[in-house]
Amino acid sequence: MSDSPAAKSGINETAAAERQSLRSFLAELERERQLLRITEPVDPVFEISSYLAELAYGQAALFESVRGHRLRAVGNVLNSMERIARGLAVERASLQAKIVRAVRSPLARRLVEGAPCQEVMVVDPDLETELPVPHFFPGESGRYITAGAIVAKDTKTGGRNLSFARLKLRGGSRALIGIAPSHHLAVMARAAKARGEKLDIAVTIGNHPCVLIAAALYLNLGDDELEVAGAIFGEPIEVVACRSVELEVPAQCEIVLEGTLDPDEEEAEGKVSEFHGMYEDYGSGAIVHFHRLTRRADALYQVIQPGYYPEHTLIGGVSIAAALFRRLADAAVPVREVAVGHGGCGRLHAVVSLAQSSAGEPKKAMLTAFNSVNLVKMVTVVDADIDPWDRNDVEWAISTRMKAERDLVVVPGSRADRSEPLSGSGMTAKLGIDATRKAGDRRDWTRALPPEDIARRVRARLADRKDSR
């Protein structure tokens, strides 16, 4: 393994347009020793997955040599809240506010002629040969593309979609796509079928963090996530027209697969790993035929480790939390911040911090959250002095401010998502925990802490010592 400078790697891009590329962020990580280069050859069958699992909470990993393949691979790029905030060029404390502002004020994309992602073109690609797609876990029956941000458009309404869906290689240019029935991509595919059409899609691999986070957002059907990505980035996302389908993709991505989703052609998927860390069997999935593969000449193949690993859970969790914040704010709940962290699989548990709490507000927050996202089955409500992303802080609030006989709310018979690990019926009970301060519980809620002015001075000194190492 090596920590050689980025300039030796082909990822140290400095052109203005490259600011919107994944490699610009990787170069930044490498400068700060947050990118580990793995120079010895690795096997895409289980070995890449094993590296990413061992490094799940650490450095991003760049695989310089994948057996049987020309392209390099990279993973664990956004595996912490701090890394995600850095990718979006914002302080951790302002991350959610920046995403919410971007959703409310998107920026139109900018069409360009020609792009790095089209330097090489392959017609009717053999995906197993062209791409170093990993086989992640022994319980799965094949190799999965996991970091593909998929572009689609409704030909009638013009509504666009950018979203994630897993793609299982099925030989040659074919792949099975795993989409929940409520997924906007599935809605678009059904609408196309009703018109006698098949849905064209473009799978973009190796995207800037702003594009990846935008692809996971919960927006309205037809809203353009790429426009939100531009608002997060602070300038319009440059897009280029595909070669074989009438779609536009991020010009600075690494790889593009252009194809057609055929909802009438299905195959059994078998077991697949889920965000909760176990396997699920969702039955059959539709088949996609890819007509073209375009890529950079020195393309990087990006991997998101699936299952219960932080990059997978947090990309979803950050996006779900932003959606819950918007829904709560629209319902006039005095929300300060929402967290959906790794511990709750980035899907199932939410913590809502209220700017101020009065009688009835915590319960309103719980019920609004449950009604907004089916996946969420537990909501903890805390006061503004609690960091909702800090598990210790949240547990302390539960320990010191919650009375079980008064502050637990159980909502039985609630609709569950199909990926809920404990529901075979599509229904589950949901739990709300009110961990806010109540008048009459204590006369004095003052926390025993050093004076804040002195604490700030000490933090600054410690930061200086760390920076000088």
Side-chain angles (χ1 to χ4, degrees), residues 147-462:
I150 302 174
V151 176
K153 182 173 69 174
D154 188 295
T155 58
K156 181 179 180 180
T157 67
R160 294 184 171 104
N161 180 248
L162 177 75
S163 58
F164 287 108
R166 64 187 179 278
L167 289 156
K168 179 181 179 180
L169 303 194
R170 300 301 294 147
S173 62
R174 299 166 70 251
L176 179 149
I177 188 165
I179 325 172
S182 60
H183 193 295
H184 286 172
L185 191 59
V187 175
M188 286 183 165
R190 290 195 297 270
K193 179 179 178 180
R195 296 192 296 268
E197 303 172 0
K198 297 176 183 178
L199 184 69
D200 288 337
I201 65 171
V203 180
T204 68
I205 303 170
N207 284 288
H208 188 276
C210 291
V211 174
L212 292 173
I213 293 300
L217 290 172
Y218 280 50
L219 304 184
N220 295 323
L221 180 63
D223 287 350
D224 189 351
E225 286 84 0
L226 269 178
E227 293 187 349
V228 176
I232 295 173
F233 193 83
E235 65 184 37
I237 296 296
E238 293 187 347
V239 297
V240 66
C242 290
R243 297 294 184 87
S244 65
V245 293
E246 293 186 8
L247 296 170
E248 299 163 355
V249 295
Q252 301 301 326
C253 72
E254 298 288 320
I255 301 165
V256 181
L257 302 174
E258 303 176 8
T260 302
L261 190 162
D262 186 352
D264 288 328
E265 185 180 356
E266 290 191 345
E267 290 185 9
E269 180 175 17
K271 291 183 178 180
V272 60
S273 60
E274 258 299 2
F275 58 81
H276 49 60
M278 296 170 282
Y279 297 104
E280 297 287 354
D281 188 341
Y282 294 122
S284 298
I287 295 296
V288 181
H289 294 265
F290 291 108
H291 325 299
R292 297 285 189 280
L293 181 156
T294 68
R295 62 172 175 84
R296 291 172 180 258
D298 61 342
L300 294 169
Y301 178 80
Q302 187 176 10
V303 178
I304 293 176
Q305 176 84 339
Y308 183 63
Y309 289 93
E311 184 168 30
H312 183 206
T313 60
L314 288 176
I315 288 175
V318 165
S319 303
I320 290 173
L324 288 175
F325 181 97
R326 288 193 301 124
R327 301 285 175 82
L328 290 163
D330 290 346
V333 173
V335 57
R336 185 183 69 86
E337 189 171 6
V338 180
V340 181
H342 177 60
C345 306
R347 312 288 192 279
L348 304 178
H349 295 175
V351 182
V352 177
S353 170
L354 299 180
Q356 65 269 341
S357 178
S358 56
E361 290 290 0
K363 187 172 183 180
K364 182 180 179 181
M366 297 170 194
L367 298 179
T368 301
F370 291 146
N371 290 330
S372 298
V373 179
N374 286 335
L375 282 159
V376 174
K377 67 175 183 179
M378 187 172 88
V379 174
T380 303
V381 184
V382 297
D383 294 301
D385 64 322
I386 302 298
D387 179 355
W389 293 98
D390 186 327
R391 290 175 294 176
N392 289 333
D393 221 16
V394 173
E395 188 171 352
W396 178 82
I398 294 172
S399 300
T400 60
R401 300 178 184 182
M402 185 271 290
K403 290 183 177 180
E405 73 277 11
R406 178 192 64 189
D407 296 326
L408 297 181
V409 176
V410 177
V411 185
S414 299
R415 188 171 137 206
D417 190 84
R418 70 172 188 162
S419 57
E420 160 58 40
L422 295 178
S423 176
S425 63
M427 306 291 283
T428 190
K430 301 199 173 187
L431 174 65
I433 302 174
D434 181 356
T436 61
R437 294 181 294 247
K438 285 87 174 174
D441 281 354
R442 288 183 61 88
R443 285 185 295 179
D444 182 10
W445 290 98
T446 304
R447 295 181 69 169
L449 298 169
E452 180 56 28
D453 58 336
I454 297 176
R456 277 197 301 269
R457 194 158 65 241
V458 170
R459 281 195 293 269
R461 289 173 182 167
L462 291 173

Side-chain angles (χ1 to χ4, degrees), residues 96-165:
Q96 188 163 94
K98 182 172 188 177
I99 295 172
V100 172
R101 283 196 305 272
V103 171
R104 290 174 172 159
S105 302
L107 284 179
R109 56 183 63 199
R110 178 187 296 135
L111 183 63
V112 298
E113 295 290 333
C117 66
Q118 295 179 337
E119 291 172 345
V120 174
M121 183 173 72
V122 180
V123 178
D124 295 327
D126 184 321
L127 301 179
E128 290 188 7
T129 301
E130 295 291 337
L131 302 177
V133 181
H135 192 153
F136 290 97
F137 309 116
E140 295 176 329
S141 58
R143 303 183 184 214
Y144 278 92
I145 296 171
T146 55
I150 302 174
V151 176
K153 182 173 69 174
D154 188 295
T155 58
K156 181 179 180 180
T157 67
R160 294 184 171 104
N161 180 248
L162 177 75
S163 58
F164 287 108

